[in-house]
Amino acid sequence: MSNIIIFYDIASTVPGQAFSPNTWKTRYTLNYKRIPYRTVWVEIHDVEAFCKKNGIPPTHDLTLYTLPAIYNPTTGTTIAESSRIAEYLEATYPDTPKLFPGGTHALQHAFIDAYDATLMPFYQFAIPAAFKIITPNSQHYFRTTREAFFGKTLEDLLPTGQAREEEWAKVKAAFDKVDGWVKKNEASSLYFYGTDPSFADFTVAAVLVWLKKIWGEDSPEWQDIMAWNEGRWGTLLKELEKYETIV
């Protein structure tokens, strides 16, 4: 049996397939820690059945089956959810680069919660765009589940006209707020903690990669983000590009 970790990721139509922000956190983690792995692609509409069949535990108060997930044949461990995976890999491979340096576990998890809440305004722009790169077999599932969650059709979710300008201004304000958090790190103008990337940085980069893939690099939305905050977000992605390998 191979000792290579199995990484379960969500399939899409983009080159290389990887697009989900949650699974990108785990891909960054595996690549940064130089842990050998291979990817198994799973259609979104198949996630729950696939997880149940392969013994992947539910997440979110044990009520939902989600990806990313990993299986480590060396320890026989199966685990889901990007933060839990990061904690597990940090403990299991202590001699690899650190995701949570200097006892920053609690601080980073608090940041991730705040970051997710702060960037809520962009989902109304991102979800309709994400639908366009979902595999055909999963488009119906994606549409019905997201429309049920937001209480709107994907078409109505996307703001237009004056509402679009107002809501997009909220997105910029959210990025400005996160930019202010980063600037409090006296050791680095790029990373949140110290001079090396941490799981918090991978969380931010994972969302950025997702937005770049769903909108496209030439889109006005992506061009706006690249211009904000003195080009911080493009610089961060460029610095972490070496950890974007898809295997």
Side-chain angles (χ1 to χ4, degrees):
M1 179 184 297
S2 172
N3 290 328
I4 294 177
I5 281 180
I6 309 301
F7 171 37
Y8 302 107
D9 200 350
I10 296 175
S12 76
T13 62
V14 299
Q17 297 200 355
F19 89 101
S20 166
N22 289 320
T23 61
W24 264 108
K25 296 176 195 177
T26 298
R27 189 171 298 279
Y28 274 126
T29 294
L30 289 164
N31 289 332
Y32 179 64
K33 294 180 81 66
R34 300 190 295 272
I35 299 172
Y37 70 95
R38 68 177 179 88
T39 304
V40 172
W41 301 101
V42 183
E43 293 265 9
I44 290 180
H45 73 277
D46 282 337
V47 167
E48 181 172 348
F50 183 88
C51 287
K52 289 179 177 178
K53 179 181 178 180
N54 290 277
I56 299 171
T59 58
H60 302 284
D61 299 323
L62 302 181
T63 59
L64 294 175
Y65 289 88
T66 63
L67 296 181
I70 64 168
Y71 170 65
N72 186 348
T74 301
T75 62
T77 302
T78 302
I79 188 168
E81 201 277 317
S82 58
S83 294
R84 295 175 187 172
I85 292 170
E87 293 276 7
Y88 167 79
L89 294 175
E90 188 86 327
T92 306
Y93 301 91
D95 296 328
T96 59
K98 302 299 182 185
L99 296 168
F100 304 98
T104 59
H105 290 72
L107 186 60
Q108 289 199 53
H109 286 306
F111 161 77
I112 291 168
D113 287 344
Y115 176 71
D116 289 344
T118 298
L119 290 189
M120 284 300 292
F122 77 68
Y123 282 105
Q124 60 193 316
F125 296 94
I127 295 300
F131 173 74
K132 298 176 183 178
I133 62 173
I134 298 298
T135 55
N137 288 340
S138 288
Q139 284 186 342
H140 176 73
Y141 173 85
F142 185 91
R143 175 181 285 276
T144 55
T145 54
R146 274 58 180 179
E147 289 181 348
F149 179 82
F150 288 101
K152 296 180 179 181
T153 65
L154 295 184
E155 291 74 17
D156 289 339
L157 181 62
L158 184 66
T160 59
Q162 182 63 29
R164 186 195 186 285
E165 295 182 17
E166 294 172 357
E167 294 302 313
W168 190 245
K170 294 178 182 178
V171 176
K172 183 180 186 303
F175 275 91
D176 288 345
K177 186 174 184 178
V178 178
D179 176 64
W181 295 342
V182 185
K183 288 178 178 177
K184 295 183 184 299
N185 178 13
E186 297 179 357
S188 170
S189 62
L190 185 61
Y191 300 130
F192 281 87
Y193 308 100
T195 57
D196 295 313
S198 64
F199 189 64
D201 298 296
F202 294 142
T203 297
V204 174
V207 171
L208 292 170
V209 169
W210 177 52
L211 297 179
K212 181 173 70 171
K213 288 180 178 290
I214 63 174
W215 283 329
E217 295 185 54
D218 296 329
S219 66
E221 292 88 354
W222 185 248
Q223 291 301 311
D224 276 353
I225 292 175
M226 290 298 94
W228 292 344
N229 310 122
E230 296 78 44
R232 170 184 300 285
W233 313 115
T235 301
L236 177 64
L237 279 191
K238 186 65 176 178
E239 184 66 23
L240 299 182
E241 192 174 46
K242 55 182 166 291
Y243 306 122
E244 292 182 6
T245 304
I246 298 174
V247 295

